[in-house]
Amino acid sequence: MIKQLVNIGYGNMVMSSKVVAVLSPESAPMRRLKDEARERKRLLDATQGRKTRAIIITDSDHVILSAVQVETLMQRFSGQGDA
């Protein structure tokens, strides 16, 4: 079985089979989710210092921040594009 890696920006990759959700970071609940993950040491920042445009939740309860738009990530996860 081949694990599919998906580029989440700036050379950072995640296994598509481990992703539970890709969310927009702009609501207050998403900010709280990010803060709670940081406190639990479960936050991974893959933005390279840029603005967070998507939050990725994994099945291991890790929260990954990405500088790539949610729509772009969803295209990548569905295999429609590599841009």
Side-chain angles (χ1 to χ4, degrees):
M1 184 169 105
I2 297 174
K3 303 287 184 189
Q4 183 177 357
L5 292 174
V6 176
N7 185 344
I8 60 168
Y10 305 105
N12 298 296
M13 310 289 265
V14 68
M15 280 192 343
S16 60
S17 62
K18 300 291 183 182
V19 173
V20 175
V22 179
L23 307 165
S24 175
E26 302 182 7
S27 68
M30 292 303 105
R31 285 191 290 271
R32 282 194 300 273
L33 178 77
K34 181 174 73 169
D35 293 340
E36 289 169 6
R38 181 176 287 123
E39 290 173 11
R40 293 188 332 260
K41 308 278 191 240
R42 294 277 184 183
L43 182 69
L44 302 169
D45 188 350
T47 63
Q48 303 293 324
R50 290 160 177 89
K51 180 179 178 181
T52 299
R53 298 188 186 274
I55 296 176
I56 301 166
I57 311 296
T58 67
D59 60 359
S60 62
D61 202 29
H62 284 86
V63 175
I64 305 169
L65 306 180
S66 174
V68 178
Q69 292 283 353
V70 173
E71 294 81 11
T72 304
L73 287 175
M74 292 314 300
Q75 287 176 350
R76 291 178 185 181
F77 280 110
S78 66
Q80 296 177 0
D82 297 321

